[in-house]
Amino acid sequence: LLAGRVRLERWNEELEATVELRTRELREAQARLLETQKLAAIGQLGAGVAHEINNPLATVLGTAQNLLFKKRKAGAKDDEPEMASLLKVEKAAKRVRDVTGTLLRFSQRSDGTRRAPVTLESIVIDASAMSRAGIVEQGASLELEVETPSPQVLGDAGELVQVLVHLLSNARTALAGKAGGTIRVVAGRDADCAVLRVIDNGKGIDSSIRDRIFEPFFTTKDVWSNLGLGLSVSFRIVEEHGGTIEVQSAVGEGTAMVVRLPVAPVT
């Protein structure tokens, strides 16, 4: 009787643990679904706004550039007051054009036609080549740790490189003004996933805003320098590739961004 009671208690404990695990997994899945739906809705809104702005914007920019061309042809110098005003109009219009272009790219979803087997090593090499100069210029160092042989994923190489470039850019921003700043990119396999980790020893992300960092237009930068879409675009790309992206961070210690992608089937 005692042995039966012990077994029953053990089964109850195992059942409780299983229910708790499945409930947590369900909550995480619901959170990812809500995030995906929110990004899709914002993407549609952004695309509509961008299209409405682009037509009058093209008129403003084209008129400003046409006037600049005519005045330069007539001998006007760029430092003249009227020329300076036209140059400001041109610069502002180009800025708006960049913003609407980013909104349109954010709204576009991949159709998967450009996907092919690609190694994490090639993604890391391409993204680090684009990012290293800016990191070094800031006085930080970039360290690469790639597992050999490197795992393969089925994906759009250009989009996956874009994700890593965004993560490296954010890590560089987190190291601004810090002596001895370091960014590590660790690429390898974890169980049945290919994993990319971007780890910095920067200022970290406060827990009160950690859940918001994938929101479009949200930024923790001290100086607002762009649309704040880098992490949102990265989230969308990783999600379209069947993967996940998460943040691990502690204020004053640094941040690790972790991207997990399905390993490509061996053919």
Side-chain angles (χ1 to χ4, degrees), residues 6-8 53 167 179 222 238 247 265:
V6 170
R7 285 197 299 271
L8 182 60
I53 290 174
L167 298 184
D222 297 326
V238 171
V247 57

Side-chain angles (χ1 to χ4, degrees), residues 1-17:
L1 182 62
L2 180 61
R5 180 179 300 172
V6 170
R7 285 197 299 271
L8 182 60
E9 290 177 351
R10 186 183 306 119
W11 288 337
N12 284 337
E13 290 173 357
E14 292 174 353
L15 179 59
E16 288 177 3

